[in-house]
Amino acid sequence: MNNEDLIKKAHEAKELAYAPYSNFKVGAALLTKDGKIFTGCNIENGSYGATNCAERTAIFKAVSEGYKNFEKIAIVSSGGEFTMPCGMCLQVMSEFMLDADIILSNDSGEIKVLKVKDFLPHSFVLKK
Ligand code: THU
C-alpha cells in the first residue's frame, strides 16, 4: 500500500478517537510486512495517565494478533499539523519497528517520512 492510502486509513481511524478531554484526535495506520493493516486511535481516560495513544493502540492490536514485523506507520491528527509521536510511543516503536517508516501528514497534504532513529538516536532496546 502506498503512503497516501495508508494516510487515508489513519484519517478514518482518527474519526474513532475517544478524546473528550483534549479534543485532539489522533489516528494511526500500521502496515505489516505481509500487507495487513492495523489502525488505532487515541483512547483517553478521566484518569489522564491511563490514556492510550493512537500509535500504541495500533501496535498493540497488531502484536496481540500475532503480527510483529512492520513496514510503516502513518500518523495524523485533528490538529492539522504534522503530529510527532510522543516519547512513550517512540519507545514502543523502538521495540518493534526501528527500521520502519514513520509517515506524517498535515492538512496541506505535505508528507514527512522519518525513522525512530531520527527522533531517538540512542533509544533503549534490550537484547533478546
Ligand atoms: N496522542 C497520541 O495519540 N499520539 C501521540 O503520539 C501524541 C499524543 C494523544 C494522546 C492524547 O489523547 C491527545 O493526543 C493529546 O495529548
Side-chain angles (χ1 to χ4, degrees), residues 18-51:
Y18 176 73
Y21 305 105
S22 71
N23 288 312
F24 188 80
K25 295 182 168 194
V26 186
L30 177 66
L31 181 68
T32 69
K33 287 203 171 149
D34 44 1
K36 211 168 150 45
I37 293 164
F38 289 90
T39 58
C41 59
N42 53 332
I43 304 168
E44 296 187 343
N45 193 281
S47 177
Y48 299 161
T51 291

Side-chain angles (χ1 to χ4, degrees), residues 76-122:
V76 300
S77 77
S78 58
E81 318 244 312
F82 292 117
T83 303
M84 303 299 164
C86 79
M88 205 180 284
C89 289
L90 286 168
Q91 183 60 35
V92 172
M93 288 183 200
S94 299
E95 184 76 27
F96 295 107
M97 43 192 299
L98 267 184
D99 296 320
D101 284 339
I102 300 170
I103 300 152
L104 309 173
S105 165
N106 64 14
D107 280 0
S108 309
E110 294 163 317
I111 294 175
K112 269 191 212 293
V113 182
L114 298 165
K115 304 259 187 203
V116 170
K117 286 255 177 278
D118 295 316
F119 296 95
L120 280 183
H122 307 287

Side-chain angles (χ1 to χ4, degrees), residues 28-30 38-41 53-63 73:
L30 177 66
F38 289 90
T39 58
C41 59
C53 290
E55 300 90 316
R56 280 177 290 134
T57 301
I59 294 166
F60 293 157
K61 278 171 69 180
V63 175
I73 186 168

